[in-house]
Amino acid sequence: MDNSGIYVGLDIGTTSIKVIVAEYVKGQMNVIGVGREPSDGVNRGVIVDIDKAAIAIKRAIETAERKANIQIQDVVAGIPANLLRIEPVRGMIAISDSSREINNQDVIEVSNAASVHNLPPEQEVVDVLPDEFIVDGFDGIKDPRGMVGVRLEMNGGLITGPKTIIHNLKSAVRQAGLNLVDVVVNPLALGKTILNDGEQDFGTITLDLGAGQSTVAVIHDHHLKYTFVEQEGGQFVTKDISVVLNTSLDNAEQIKQQYGYAVASEAGKETFPVNVVGQNEPVAVDEEYLSEIIEARLEQILTNIKKQLDKIGALDMPGGIVITGGGAALPGIEKLVERIFETNAKLYVPDQMGLRHPAFAQALAILNYEGRMSDVDILAKNAMVSSERTVSETPQEEVVDEKPKFKRAQATVKHSEPTQERSKPVERNSSPKATSNRFDEIKKWFSDFFD
């Protein structure tokens, strides 16, 4: 499977909009341009003013274009986890001719059958995620194409989100003069990027400490099982510093980044000047006092998240917690998380040149997820896009090529011919595989785990 090409990821955050341009060559990602501009029209990770957000997106895109020396037309954007719903789905179709091999059309039709779902009027389908295919009773199949059978089934997950959030995202991107070729669920992409294979398999929690909100997700058996958004983040820490020290928000943010520590007992004793409103001379404040302000708010945020995770018993999973996001840049954050959640924790920082800050993890994850989508994932998303269902409908018959044609976020290089849209080669399994005992045990454990 060759995913070579140029991809553009768009991460719309509360305080900044980040654009990353990367080139995939033989499975290796090379970042060639980055744009980061202050957000506008965004509150707690959600676009609330389309016009202002579109202008901010355009500024970030222009910055990335200059650095990468390309013209950006198509982008992949992340959608926040606010009010996302994850539901198991199952679809089944009959194969009319048992002598022919299962093809792309069959995969799309069974995905359509699985995604037919009664939704609340305020919800919209975001993604259909195939888990396994079953051909004539043989389960555990990841790609059924090339096999023969009379009955094809699919087990997977259906992710839905609020229509308002999705509409505002699409409108802002379109108003910025861009083509939104795919929408990626932020916590899903993040888990696939910052967790290794073992962590995704045995179960791990990701904690994205953003500016406007904090997002926690449970990844188990390589699937997104649960997500929760705490409506407070690093911005609230900054506000606390501003109020307590009687200084401006800009000063408070600068002080937090330069002198802040997540655990007050381990902060230094040195003092630093603070410009206080109403006073001509700066006031000396010590690092320990500043860190007490920071720790108090972070402890409140993390405690609220822990209560939600305790309800589902997620903290019993062996993978612990992986922390990232702009708020995770505070020194000592790992020790504070370990103390609050009573489990092991580690910090994820991207290792790509120019992106070595946890604030870039989400934008990088969007790119990584899109660039590594399999043929079957693309076909399942084709089914969702082509049907354009937001409520339960009867699937329409479609004629498709023998190769996936889901348009990817390819950029156009300046002064050269536009990058041609690529078709992904078909990969086929030669024989069905039965589900292993270990898979059954883990699946049963996790099912009982969330009951």
Side-chain angles (χ1 to χ4, degrees):
M1 181 172 61
D2 183 13
N3 283 353
S4 298
I6 295 178
Y7 296 80
V8 182
L10 173 64
D11 176 29
I12 302 174
T14 303
T15 58
S16 67
I17 293 176
K18 293 169 279 293
V19 176
I20 299 179
V21 184
E23 184 178 16
Y24 266 93
V25 179
K26 297 181 179 179
Q28 298 297 317
M29 183 174 68
N30 178 35
V31 176
I32 60 176
V34 179
R36 184 179 185 179
E37 295 292 332
S39 290
D40 201 2
V42 183
N43 183 30
R44 296 184 179 183
V46 176
I47 295 175
V48 294
D49 189 316
I50 295 173
D51 293 337
K52 290 182 177 179
I55 294 172
I57 292 170
K58 193 170 183 179
R59 288 199 307 264
I61 289 290
E62 289 172 349
T63 301
E65 284 180 331
R66 288 195 301 271
K67 293 183 178 179
N69 194 33
I70 66 168
Q71 289 180 327
I72 297 173
Q73 297 175 344
D74 302 334
V75 298
V76 179
I79 184 171
N82 302 61
L83 301 178
L84 283 181
R85 296 173 56 184
I86 309 168
E87 302 177 54
V89 291
R90 183 183 183 91
M92 190 275 287
I93 62 169
I95 307 298
S96 57
D97 184 357
S98 61
S99 63
R100 74 166 174 82
E101 296 179 344
I102 295 171
N103 57 26
N104 290 343
Q105 177 65 49
D106 298 317
V107 173
I108 289 179
E109 287 181 357
V110 77
S111 300
N112 266 330
S115 60
V116 172
H117 204 67
N118 287 316
L119 298 178
E122 72 278 6
Q123 291 287 113
E124 180 176 335
V125 176
V126 178
D127 209 346
V128 181
L129 304 171
D131 183 5
E132 66 167 350
F133 293 89
I134 305 170
V135 178
D136 292 348
F138 291 94
D139 58 4
I141 300 169
K142 295 301 181 183
D143 188 347
R145 294 171 301 168
M147 301 180 184
V148 294
V150 297
R151 187 177 75 254
L152 176 64
E153 301 170 72
M154 187 196 86
N155 291 327
L158 183 72
I159 300 181
T160 62
K163 280 185 179 180
T164 299
I165 293 178
I166 299 170
H167 170 79
N168 289 358
L169 172 65
K170 292 179 178 178
S171 296
V173 172
R174 183 170 59 249
Q175 196 163 313
L178 302 167
N179 178 35
L180 182 63
V181 298
D182 198 8
V183 175
V184 174
V185 178
N186 278 343
L188 175 63
L190 193 64
K192 295 289 186 181
T193 299
I194 71 175
L195 304 183
N196 60 39
D197 186 74
E199 290 169 337
Q200 293 185 51
D201 188 10
F202 289 97
T204 305
I205 298 164
T206 62
L207 175 57
D208 182 8
L209 295 174
Q213 60 187 21
S214 302
T215 304
V216 64
V218 176
I219 307 292
H220 180 266
D221 195 23
H222 295 269
H223 297 292
L224 176 65
K225 299 292 187 178
Y226 173 82
T227 185
F228 167 75
V229 176
E230 168 63 25
Q231 295 296 328
E232 291 186 5
Q235 208 173 43
F236 289 80
V237 177
T238 303
K239 288 180 181 178
D240 286 351
I241 296 171
S242 174
V243 171
V244 174
L245 300 184
N246 199 23
T247 188
S248 68
L249 284 173
D250 288 341
N251 285 340
E253 180 65 26
Q254 185 177 357
I255 289 168
K256 181 183 74 173
Q257 294 180 9
Q258 191 169 354
Y259 303 104
Y261 205 89
V263 180
S265 61
E266 299 186 11
K269 303 294 184 181
E270 297 181 6
T271 60
F272 55 89
V274 176
N275 294 322
V276 176
V277 175
Q279 297 192 27
N280 294 328
E281 297 296 328
V283 174
V285 176
D286 65 74
E287 294 177 353
E288 185 177 8
Y289 182 56
L290 171 65
S291 297
E292 286 175 356
I293 302 170
I294 294 173
E295 183 179 357
R297 174 61 73 170
L298 287 177
E299 187 170 339
Q300 176 182 313
I301 294 171
L302 297 176
T303 299
N304 290 339
I305 292 174
K306 183 177 184 297
K307 290 177 182 177
Q308 297 297 322
L309 294 175
D310 282 338
K311 290 179 181 179
I312 59 173
L315 292 171
D316 295 331
M317 295 188 301
I321 298 176
V322 179
I323 321 156
T324 194
L330 277 169
I333 189 66
E334 295 161 276
K335 292 184 178 180
L336 181 62
V337 169
E338 287 182 342
R339 191 184 80 202
I340 299 296
F341 290 92
E342 299 177 326
T343 187
N344 56 301
K346 70 177 183 179
L347 177 66
Y348 173 82
V349 180
D351 58 3
Q352 282 79 6
M353 185 71 71
L355 302 178
R356 290 169 183 166
H357 191 283
F360 285 104
Q362 184 61 72
L364 193 64
I366 293 168
L367 269 180
N368 182 71
Y369 184 85
E370 182 72 12
R372 296 181 183 277
M373 284 180 68
S374 68
D375 292 348
V376 170
D377 291 332
I378 295 173
L379 288 169
K381 180 148 286 195
N382 267 340
M384 183 195 74
V385 172
S386 61
S387 63
E388 296 182 352
R389 282 192 299 270
T390 57
V391 294
S392 176
E393 296 179 6
T394 303
Q396 302 295 319
E397 286 199 28
E398 300 167 316
V399 178
V400 297
D401 240 352
E402 282 303 306
K403 294 183 178 180
K405 289 291 185 182
F406 184 70
K407 190 175 182 182
R408 312 304 295 273
Q410 300 276 337
T412 302
V413 180
K414 289 183 178 179
H415 311 304
S416 64
E417 293 296 322
T419 303
Q420 296 297 317
E421 182 183 338
R422 59 185 169 82
S423 296
K424 300 181 73 177
V426 174
E427 291 184 347
R428 296 181 176 178
N429 293 340
S430 57
S431 61
K433 298 179 180 178
T435 306
S436 67
N437 292 333
R438 178 175 173 278
F439 177 85
D440 287 332
E441 290 171 2
I442 293 177
K443 188 162 63 174
K444 181 179 185 302
W445 172 83
F446 204 83
S447 177
D448 296 337
F449 185 74
F450 284 96
D451 280 342

